[in-house]
Amino acid sequence: MKQHAHHQHGHHHNGHHGGPGFANAKEWAKVFDDPARDEWQRPNEVIAALGLTSNMTVADLGAGTGYFSVRLARALPDGAVIATDVEPDMVTHLQQRAAEAGLTNLRAQRATPASAGLAPRSVDRVLIVNVWHHIDDRVSYARDLAASLKPGGRIVVVDYRKDAADGPPPEMRLEPQRIIDEFQAAGLVALQHSTQLPRQYIVEAREP
Ligand SMILES: C[S@@+](CC[C@H](N)C(=O)[O-])C[C@H]1O[C@@H](n2cnc3c(N)ncnc32)[C@H](O)[C@@H]1O
């Protein structure tokens, strides 16, 4: 289990910067879309924390194989999901998954490590699950994200607590306060959300 956990987050050998560590979507789907994940990931609680209305546009950054993207698309029958990833194979997998599930409101697009590639004032929510610790220049990235928010928009980051039994290597994990500071340095107001997940915290940021 521990060994599997280490592998689970793509930090083994080379996964740190979204490089070849996440290249094979079909393999990662077994991990990311493992039904046992629901028990600790609590996707419904995460989605509830986003405060959605059915016509919103939500970006799922570093969407991977689409664990959250498909759930978001179902929660937004009158809205849209933009799922991004730096890995071309993840983007292809996301497109196939959307087509197979008949989710016409889910679109996948490639991001670069330094930019999500979202248009200015185009999204109501940005969800970033288990990805923030992979980003290099996070303050500059946060500034870029702030520009992509529509009025009233929010950015929601879900990542691992230092004391969580499972997750990325402890040295890669970020304290929630550090993420809050990064968003504040980017000119946003940020706070920790009251929802506590078994292994993760939720940080929320918005324009002042
Ligand atoms: C641990 S997986 C999480 C996937 C998904 N969010 C989930 O919760 O199932 C991290 C994903 O982030 C992607 N990634 C890493 N750095 C990224 C960046 N700068 N921008 C977008 N995606 C990135 C990786 O390719 C990988 O698919």
Side-chain angles (χ1 to χ4, degrees), residues 21-62:
F22 291 111
N24 189 330
K26 292 283 175 278
E27 282 303 311
W28 281 111
K30 294 176 199 160
V31 177
F32 295 153
D33 298 303
D34 180 350
R37 179 177 175 183
D38 298 0
E39 195 181 310
W40 58 266
Q41 186 60 79
R42 311 229 170 135
N44 297 337
E45 288 185 46
V46 173
I47 289 171
L50 290 171
L52 301 179
T53 54
S54 67
N55 63 352
M56 284 182 170
T57 298
V58 178
D60 183 12
L61 301 190

Side-chain angles (χ1 to χ4, degrees), residues 155 176 180 183-184 189-194 202-206:
I155 301 165
I180 289 169
F183 280 116
Q184 286 179 341
V189 170
L191 49 86
Q192 192 171 340
H193 195 276
S194 58
I202 302 179
V203 166
E204 181 182 287
R206 58 177 91 203

Side-chain angles (χ1 to χ4, degrees), residues 26-200:
K26 292 283 175 278
E27 282 303 311
W28 281 111
K30 294 176 199 160
V31 177
F32 295 153
D33 298 303
D34 180 350
R37 179 177 175 183
D38 298 0
E39 195 181 310
W40 58 266
Q41 186 60 79
R42 311 229 170 135
N44 297 337
E45 288 185 46
V46 173
I47 289 171
L50 290 171
L52 301 179
T53 54
S54 67
N55 63 352
M56 284 182 170
T57 298
V58 178
D60 183 12
L61 301 190
T65 55
Y67 177 88
F68 274 103
S69 314
V70 298
R71 286 167 170 83
L72 289 167
R74 290 186 185 119
L76 298 164
D78 312 310
V81 178
I82 304 166
T84 77
D85 207 283
V86 288
E87 288 294 343
D89 199 42
M90 291 296 191
V91 176
T92 305
H93 180 90
L94 286 159
Q95 283 161 345
Q96 283 169 356
R97 193 170 176 187
E100 280 160 21
L103 295 168
T104 54
N105 60 340
L106 169 53
R107 173 159 61 86
Q109 62 188 43
R110 187 145 178 218
T112 67
S115 172
L118 300 171
R121 302 217 159 228
S122 63
V123 297
D124 298 286
R125 299 286 184 269
V126 176
L127 178 65
I128 308 168
V129 183
N130 305 342
V131 176
W132 195 247
H133 62 272
H134 288 290
I135 292 168
D136 283 328
D137 187 351
R138 292 193 288 267
V139 174
S140 142
Y141 200 89
R143 251 186 237 113
D144 192 47
L145 289 184
S148 76
L149 292 178
K150 291 187 192 178
R154 290 186 223 163
I155 301 165
V156 173
V157 172
V158 179
D159 227 311
Y160 284 88
R161 286 200 306 274
K162 291 264 188 196
D163 66 0
D166 206 349
E171 68 275 12
M172 290 203 63
R173 301 184 196 183
L174 303 169
E175 297 285 0
Q177 187 59 48
R178 178 144 168 213
I179 301 181
I180 289 169
D181 292 345
E182 289 163 353
F183 280 116
Q184 286 179 341
L188 295 166
V189 170
L191 49 86
Q192 192 171 340
H193 195 276
S194 58
T195 299
Q196 284 276 1
L197 302 170
R199 299 177 185 178
Q200 299 151 308

